[in-house]
Amino acid sequence: MTDEPDVVHYDRLYRDTSDTGRPPWEIGGPQPALAAVLDTGVRGPRVLDVGCGTGELALALARLGHDVTGVDLSPVAIALARAKAAATGLTVRFEVHDATRLPVPPTPYDSVFDSGLLHTLDRRGAAVGDYLALLPRLTAPGGTVCVLAVSPEAGGGWGLDADALRSAFPEPTWTDTLVEPITVLARVDTEDLHLPGHLLRTTRSLIS
Ligand SMILES: C[S@@+](CC[C@H](N)C(=O)[O-])C[C@H]1O[C@@H](n2cnc3c(N)ncnc32)[C@H](O)[C@@H]1O
């Protein structure tokens, strides 16, 4: 972690397309490992994409007909996401929020997607516990959470392994938890990197 506040850090990454290229997770679409989840049916209609970046996954979910909210800490990312929504004519509520202090809506979400946020919070030493404590309140009973994370095996001294992911979603609050190995796609300049990662899927149990 650097001393730079997270919002400054991510705004700079999203803004600095000239010197450093776009952030490596900007691959022009949702993570390929999420395609199977999108294809097999997402529980809706209310869907949250938390740490949505410039909105590729949120827009793909809106294209499937869901009522989507995308939130990110970075105002620059949210401005880019809003511009994409306007260009495609899709409706998504894109809002600037810190996921560790997200307001809980009166009606919780039927599905929550976290594509690279949890590992990011962990990597930056952010308030992971606050975020994980909010998720049961954001997710409707019977609703699903899907988390995509890079594994420590990718190198670089960060990432979440299967056990760390699984222990973040304990029973009885969460049930039917599945963690599978996947490949996370990153792009540096024009080169595609295929990093080891995991996809966790879990269901918010009916027990509080
Ligand atoms: C690895 S990127 C993934 C972006 C997007 N989900 C994707 O798959 O392309 C992590 C994202 O989390 C955002 N982020 C970091 N800390 C956050 C926080 N506390 N609350 C909300 N978003 C945050 C960053 O701005 C960045 O857009």
Side-chain angles (χ1 to χ4, degrees), residues 61-76:
L61 289 160
R63 225 170 261 122
L64 293 173
H66 294 297
D67 171 6
V68 185
T69 300
V71 301
D72 201 282
L73 186 67
S74 162
V76 175

Side-chain angles (χ1 to χ4, degrees), residues 58-195:
L59 292 166
L61 289 160
R63 225 170 261 122
L64 293 173
H66 294 297
D67 171 6
V68 185
T69 300
V71 301
D72 201 282
L73 186 67
S74 162
V76 175
I78 290 297
L80 291 167
R82 286 181 181 152
K84 283 185 193 173
T88 54
L90 290 163
T91 302
V92 174
R93 267 179 308 279
F94 283 117
E95 295 171 359
V96 176
H97 280 300
D98 180 341
T100 68
R101 289 183 283 170
L102 211 50
V104 176
T107 308
Y109 295 97
D110 302 296
S111 293
V112 176
F113 283 83
D114 168 334
S115 173
L117 175 64
L118 183 59
H119 74 207
T120 290
L121 295 177
D122 187 65
R123 182 182 186 184
R124 300 273 305 163
V128 174
D130 291 350
Y131 170 60
L132 292 175
L134 270 172
L135 280 177
R137 299 168 61 208
L138 293 169
T139 314
T144 60
V145 171
C146 185
V147 180
L148 177 142
V150 169
S151 154
E153 289 161 29
W158 61 279
L160 296 170
D161 64 20
D163 287 344
L165 275 177
R166 199 177 280 281
S167 65
F169 293 89
E171 296 203 5
T173 305
W174 303 101
T175 184
D176 299 328
T177 304
L178 291 172
V179 181
E180 57 177 319
I182 49 138
T183 297
V184 177
L185 181 60
R187 190 163 291 155
V188 177
D189 298 324
T190 53
E191 190 192 348
D192 281 354
L193 304 179
H194 299 271
L195 308 174

